[in-house]
Coordinates of all heavy atoms in Angstrom, one line a residue:
G9 N -36.0 -15.3 1.8 CA -37.3 -14.9 1.4 C -37.3 -13.8 0.3 O -38.4 -13.3 -0.1
L25 N -19.1 -12.7 -8.4 CA -18.8 -11.2 -8.7 C -19.9 -10.4 -8.0 O -21.1 -10.7 -8.3 CB -18.8 -10.9 -10.2 CG -17.9 -11.8 -11.0 CD1 -18.1 -11.4 -12.5 CD2 -16.5 -11.6 -10.6
S26 N -19.6 -9.5 -7.2 CA -20.5 -8.6 -6.5 C -20.1 -7.2 -6.7 O -19.0 -6.7 -6.3 CB -20.6 -9.0 -5.0 OG -21.7 -8.2 -4.4
S32 N -25.3 -2.9 -11.1 CA -26.2 -4.1 -11.6 C -25.3 -5.2 -12.2 O -24.1 -5.0 -12.4 CB -27.2 -3.6 -12.6 OG -28.1 -2.6 -12.0
A61 N -35.5 -8.5 -6.1 CA -36.6 -8.0 -5.3 C -36.1 -7.0 -4.3 O -34.9 -7.1 -3.9 CB -37.5 -9.1 -4.7
A97 N -19.0 -3.8 -1.8 CA -19.1 -5.3 -1.8 C -17.7 -5.8 -1.4 O -17.6 -7.0 -1.1 CB -19.5 -5.8 -3.2
L99 N -16.4 -5.0 1.3 CA -16.6 -5.3 2.7 C -17.3 -6.7 2.9 O -17.1 -7.5 3.8 CB -17.5 -4.2 3.3 CG -17.0 -2.8 3.2 CD1 -18.0 -1.8 3.9 CD2 -15.6 -2.6 3.8
H100 N -18.3 -6.9 1.9 CA -19.0 -8.2 2.0 C -18.1 -9.4 1.7 O -18.2 -10.4 2.3 CB -20.2 -8.1 0.9 CG -21.0 -6.9 1.0 ND1 -21.8 -6.5 0.0 CD2 -21.2 -6.0 2.0 CE1 -22.5 -5.4 0.3 NE2 -22.1 -5.1 1.6
E102 N -14.9 -9.7 2.2 CA -14.0 -10.0 3.3 C -14.8 -10.6 4.5 O -14.3 -11.6 5.1 CB -13.4 -8.7 3.9 CG -12.4 -9.0 5.0 CD -11.8 -7.7 5.6 OE1 -11.8 -6.6 4.9 OE2 -11.4 -7.8 6.8
R106 N -14.2 -14.4 6.3 CA -14.1 -14.5 7.7 C -15.1 -15.5 8.3 O -14.8 -16.2 9.3 CB -14.1 -13.2 8.4 CG -12.9 -12.3 8.0 CD -12.9 -11.0 8.8 NE -11.7 -10.2 8.3 CZ -10.5 -10.4 8.7 NH1 -10.2 -11.3 9.6 NH2 -9.5 -9.6 8.3
L107 N -16.3 -15.4 7.8 CA -17.4 -16.2 8.4 C -17.6 -17.5 7.7 O -18.2 -18.4 8.3 CB -18.7 -15.4 8.3 CG -18.8 -14.1 9.2 CD1 -20.0 -13.3 8.9 CD2 -18.7 -14.5 10.6
P109 N -14.8 -19.5 6.1 CA -13.5 -19.8 5.6 C -13.3 -21.0 4.8 O -12.5 -21.1 3.9 CB -12.6 -19.8 7.0 CG -13.6 -20.2 8.0 CD -14.9 -19.5 7.6
S121 N -14.2 -0.3 -0.7 CA -14.4 0.6 0.4 C -13.5 0.3 1.5 O -13.2 -0.8 1.8 CB -15.9 0.5 0.9 OG -16.8 0.9 -0.1
L142 N -38.0 8.6 2.7 CA -37.5 9.4 1.6 C -37.7 8.7 0.2 O -38.1 9.4 -0.7 CB -35.9 9.7 1.8 CG -35.2 10.4 0.6 CD1 -35.9 11.8 0.4 CD2 -33.7 10.5 0.9
A149 N -43.2 11.3 -6.3 CA -43.0 12.4 -7.1 C -42.6 12.0 -8.5 O -42.4 12.9 -9.4 CB -41.9 13.3 -6.5
A153 N -38.4 7.4 -12.5 CA -38.6 7.4 -14.0 C -38.0 8.7 -14.6 O -37.5 8.6 -15.7 CB -40.1 7.3 -14.3
A154 N -38.1 9.8 -13.9 CA -37.7 11.1 -14.5 C -36.2 11.2 -14.5 O -35.7 11.7 -15.5 CB -38.3 12.2 -13.7
R160 N -27.8 7.4 -13.0 CA -26.9 6.3 -13.3 C -25.9 6.7 -14.3 O -24.7 6.4 -14.1 CB -27.8 5.1 -13.8 CG -27.1 4.2 -14.8 CD -26.2 3.2 -14.2 NE -25.3 2.6 -15.2 CZ -24.6 1.5 -15.1 NH1 -24.7 0.8 -14.0 NH2 -23.9 1.0 -16.0
R161 N -26.3 7.3 -15.4 CA -25.3 7.6 -16.4 C -24.2 8.6 -15.9 O -23.0 8.4 -16.2 CB -26.0 8.3 -17.6 CG -26.9 7.3 -18.4 CD -26.2 6.3 -19.2 NE -27.1 5.6 -20.1 CZ -26.8 4.5 -20.7 NH1 -25.6 3.9 -20.4 NH2 -27.6 3.9 -21.6
A189 N -34.9 0.2 -7.5 CA -33.4 0.5 -7.6 C -33.1 1.7 -6.7 O -32.0 1.7 -6.0 CB -33.0 0.8 -9.0
A193 N -30.5 1.5 -3.3 CA -29.3 2.3 -3.1 C -29.4 3.1 -1.9 O -28.5 3.3 -1.1 CB -29.2 3.2 -4.4
N197 N -26.8 2.8 1.3 CA -26.1 4.0 1.6 C -26.3 4.4 3.1 O -25.4 4.7 3.8 CB -26.5 5.1 0.7 CG -25.6 6.3 0.9 OD1 -24.4 6.3 0.7 ND2 -26.2 7.4 1.3
A204 N -19.6 -1.2 7.7 CA -18.2 -1.1 7.8 C -17.7 -1.3 9.3 O -16.7 -2.0 9.6 CB -17.7 0.3 7.4
V222 N -5.4 -13.3 -1.2 CA -6.2 -12.0 -1.2 C -5.5 -11.0 -2.1 O -4.2 -10.9 -2.0 CB -6.3 -11.5 0.3 CG1 -7.1 -10.2 0.3 CG2 -6.9 -12.5 1.2
D229 N -6.0 6.9 -9.2 CA -6.4 8.0 -10.1 C -5.8 9.3 -9.6 O -6.5 10.3 -9.5 CB -8.0 8.1 -10.1 CG -8.5 8.9 -11.3 OD1 -7.7 9.1 -12.3 OD2 -9.6 9.5 -11.1
L245 N -4.6 -7.2 5.5 CA -5.1 -8.5 5.1 C -4.0 -9.4 4.6 O -4.3 -10.6 4.3 CB -6.1 -8.3 4.0 CG -7.3 -7.4 4.4 CD1 -8.3 -7.3 3.2 CD2 -8.1 -7.9 5.6
P254 N -4.3 3.2 -16.2 CA -5.3 4.1 -15.8 C -6.6 3.4 -15.5 O -7.0 2.4 -16.2 CB -5.5 5.0 -17.1 CG -5.2 4.1 -18.2 CD -4.1 3.2 -17.7
D262 N -13.3 0.0 -16.9 CA -12.1 0.6 -17.4 C -11.0 -0.4 -17.6 O -10.3 -0.4 -18.6 CB -11.5 1.6 -16.4 CG -12.3 2.9 -16.5 OD1 -12.9 3.2 -17.5 OD2 -12.2 3.7 -15.5

Side-chain angles (χ1 to χ4, degrees):
L25 308 179
S26 186
S32 298
L99 307 180
H100 309 161
E102 184 184 337
R106 293 184 182 281
L107 293 173
S121 297
L142 176 59
R160 146 79 195 201
R161 293 292 194 195
N197 187 62
V222 181
D229 197 23
L245 302 181
D262 282 337

